[in-house]
Every structure is written in structure tokens, then in C-alpha cells.
């Protein structure tokens, strides 16, 4: 039993970098045949010679990554508006909306099938803006922080690099999202308040001024920053693990379609963890945007431990699917525009020499 647990512990993607070196190849491996070595070099060369539409880290690269974020986040969140609506109503009125299936039934009975689409406009606009900042700035900060650390440290501390870059990107993404998120929750959870975005925005401004659109930004940071940190770090390390332990051939030998399948699977795994770590703050945001004059701490105290976990099952289904689709669409956009898609990181040659892994 313990012999099987030990290797799993060592393969944990958040394992300390010092001990990770053992896993990544600090121990010398037997020399491989010259033919196999030559094949590997030729595959790497073929990958390097692939024609790209722009250079990695160029302005065009960042702009197109931002566009990929708009398409992936805007479309997926809008497609899941009915599930999001029921989830929000379960959070703010659990007595009326007792379960996900009951929530759908009550909503259709009261508002008809069209009622399930309430809030689609602020969802599409808000999450498109969030996707632009989330994915676009993540690429910016990942390269920026990687250059600051240097090649060797960027490899050794790559999980921390992913966490820092994604947290920085999400900070700005939530500022872009907050106004539309506030309007969406009002439309979805307050019957009779407003049916469209055009009705909600002037009414909110008249009641509370500009504060109505940004009072939820701090809880959004509480919800979205841990969510995004998990989304990117878990995805990056899961992709690395899948190619290392699951996919039976190197990434360079996989077709674009096979690579996108790996992207989807890694995205879904990351999405499940994202839903769990961000759900308590999501409950607070839903209640806070419904009520006037409440603070995040007051809402948290009133909901209690059990209250903040209401609607978790619906959120796991929603966020797991959402995250997988977002990564799949984002990676597909990169393929379509022929953007550079670097393979999972490998130990730099300079570090291998320091560790005595090369002759």
C-alpha cells in the first residue's frame, strides 16, 4: 500500500522544486541509442521550424491571445446562463429554490422557458471583457515574471510562476467584470427589478451611483483570484503530467486534434478544483449584489458555513464544463491563428550541467 502512495506523493504537481528535481531527472539515466536521440532532435527541429503568424511574446501574440480569451469566456458563460441563473437563485433564496432540478422547474413555471435566459447580455459583455484581461494579461505576466526569474528559476518555480501570473491577470479582469456581474445578479435574482440590461443599468445608478457597479469587486477578487490561480496552475501542471505519464507518445508527435483533447481533459480536471475553492466567495457575491447596504463580512456571517456551500453541485457541473470548454476554445483559437504554443517546460541545459546530467 505505502509503496504505491509514495510515488503519488512525489508526483504531486505542487511538490517542492528541490525534491521535484529527482522526479524530473536528477538521477542520471542510461544513455539512449544514437538513433533514438537523433529522432528526438529531428522532431524538436520540426516543431521549431513550424510556421507561426507572429513571434512568441510579440504585441500581435498578446492581442490574439486576448481575442481568444474574449471568444472562450464570452461564449461559454453565455451558453451556461440558465444553469448560472438557477445556481444564483439557490444561493439567494434556498427556501424557494431547494435543488437544481426544483430551481429549473420553479423558474420555468413562473417565467417560462425564456426566463432561463435572463441576464444573458451582461453575462456576454462582462465575461468577454474578463476573458480579454484574464488570458491576455496571463500571457503578459507569465513572460514578464519568467524573464525576471531567469530560465533556471522559472523552471524550478514554474508552479509559483503560474500562480503569480494568473493572480495578477485576474486582478484587472475582475475590475472589467464587476459592473456587468452586478447587473446580471440583479436581473436574475430580483423578480420585477429589471428584465434587460438597458433597464437595469440606469436604475442601479439612480439608486446607488457608481458604487452599485463596483461594491462587489472585493468579493469578486475573493472568488475569482483563487479560482483563476487554480485554473491556470492546475491546468498547466495537469497538461505536463498527462504528456509525461498518460499520453503514450511525445507531444511533438501528437496531431493538433490529439493535443486539443489533452487540453480539454486537463481543463475539466482544473475546473472541478476551481469550483470548490471559489464557491464560498461566489455565494457571498450573489447575495451581496442582490441586497442594498450590506457588506461582504455581514453576508458571510449571516450565511454561515453551511450556507456558503449551497449550490456547489450545480457550480461543479457548470465550472468543470466551462473551464474545459474555455481551454479548448482558447487553444483552438491559437491553432487557427497559428500562434506559438510552447510545449510543457523541460529542464534547461544549463541546469542539467550544474546537476551533472549531461556529459
Amino acid at each position: 500500500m505505502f509503496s504505491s502512495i509514495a510515488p503519488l506523493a512525489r508526483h504531486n504537481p505542487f511538490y517542492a522544486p528541490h525534491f521535484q528535481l529527482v522526479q524530473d531527472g536528477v538521477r542520471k539515466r542510461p544513455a539512449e541509442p544514437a538513433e533514438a536521440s537523433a529522432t528526438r532532435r529531428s522532431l524538436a527541429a520540426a516543431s521549431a521550424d513550424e510556421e507561426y503568424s507572429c513571434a512568441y511574446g510579440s504585441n500581435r501574440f498578446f492581442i490574439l491571445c486576448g481575442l481568444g480569451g474574449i471568444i472562450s469566456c464570452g461564449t461559454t458563460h453565455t451558453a451556461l446562463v440558465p444553469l448560472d441563473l438557477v445556481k444564483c437563485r439557490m444561493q439567494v433564496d434556498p427556501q424557494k429554490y431547494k435543488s437544481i432540478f426544483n430551481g429549473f422547474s420553479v423558474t420555468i413555471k413562473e417565467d417560462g422557458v425564456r426566463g432561463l435566459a435572463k441576464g444573458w447580455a451582461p453575462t456576454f459583455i462582462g465575461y468577454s471583457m474578463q476573458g480579454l484581461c484574464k488570458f491576455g494579461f496571463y500571457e503578459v505576466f507569465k513572460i514578464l515574471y519568467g524573464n525576471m526569474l531567469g530560465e533556471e528559476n522559472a523552471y524550478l518555480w514554474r508552479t509559483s510562476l503560474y500562480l503569480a501570473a494568473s493572480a495578477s491577470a485576474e486582478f484587472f479582469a475582475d475590475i472589467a467584470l464587476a459592473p456587468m456581474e452586478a447587473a446580471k445578479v440583479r436581473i436574475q435574482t430580483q423578480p420585477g427589478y429589471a428584465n434587460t440590461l438597458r433597464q437595469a443599468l440606469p436604475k442601479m445608478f439612480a439608486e446607488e451611483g457608481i458604487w452599485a457597479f463596483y461594491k462587489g469587486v472585493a468579493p469578486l477578487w475573493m472568488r475569482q483570484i483563487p479560482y483563476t490561480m487554480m485554473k491556470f496552475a492546475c491546468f498547466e501542471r495537469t497538461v505536463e503530467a498527462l504528456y509525461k505519464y498518460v499520453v503514450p507518445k511525445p507531444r511533438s508527435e501528437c496531431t493538433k486534434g490529439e493535443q486539443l483533447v489533452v487540453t480539454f481533459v486537463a481543463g475539466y480536471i482544473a475546473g472541478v478544483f476551481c469550483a470548490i475553492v471559489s464557491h464560498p466567495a461566489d455565494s457571498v457575491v450573489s447575495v451581496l449584489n442582490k441586497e442594498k447596504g450590506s457588506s461582504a463580512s455581514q453576508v458571510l456571517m449571516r450565511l454561515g458555513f453551511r450556507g456558503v456551500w449551497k449550490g456547489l453541485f450545480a457550480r461543479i457541473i457548470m465550472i468543470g464544463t466551462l473551464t474545459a470548454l474555455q481551454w479548448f476554445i482558447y487553444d483552438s483559437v491559437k491553432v487557427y491563428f497559428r500562434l506559438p504554443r510552447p510545449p510543457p517546460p523541460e529542464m534547461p541545459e544549463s541546469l542539467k550541467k550544474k546537476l551533472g546530467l549531461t556529459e
Side-chain angles (χ1 to χ4, degrees), residues 36 50 64 90 95 104 122 126-127 138 154 156 168 181 187 238 345 350:
E50 184 178 345
L64 290 176
M90 287 171 60
Q95 300 303 316
F104 272 104
Y127 283 94
Y138 173 71
L156 291 173
S168 301
E181 178 74 1
I187 293 169
T238 302
S350 57

Side-chain angles (χ1 to χ4, degrees), residues 5 9 66-67:
I5 293 175
L67 176 62

Side-chain angles (χ1 to χ4, degrees), residues 170-209:
E170 190 60 38
F171 176 85
F172 296 101
D174 290 342
I175 295 173
L177 169 65
M180 293 295 106
E181 178 74 1
K184 174 186 79 75
V185 172
R186 293 283 181 98
I187 293 169
Q188 290 182 336
T189 62
Q190 291 186 247
Y193 184 83
N195 290 319
T196 65
L197 181 61
R198 285 180 295 178
Q199 293 173 352
L201 291 179
K203 196 170 182 179
M204 291 171 65
F205 185 76
E207 290 175 351
E208 298 182 73

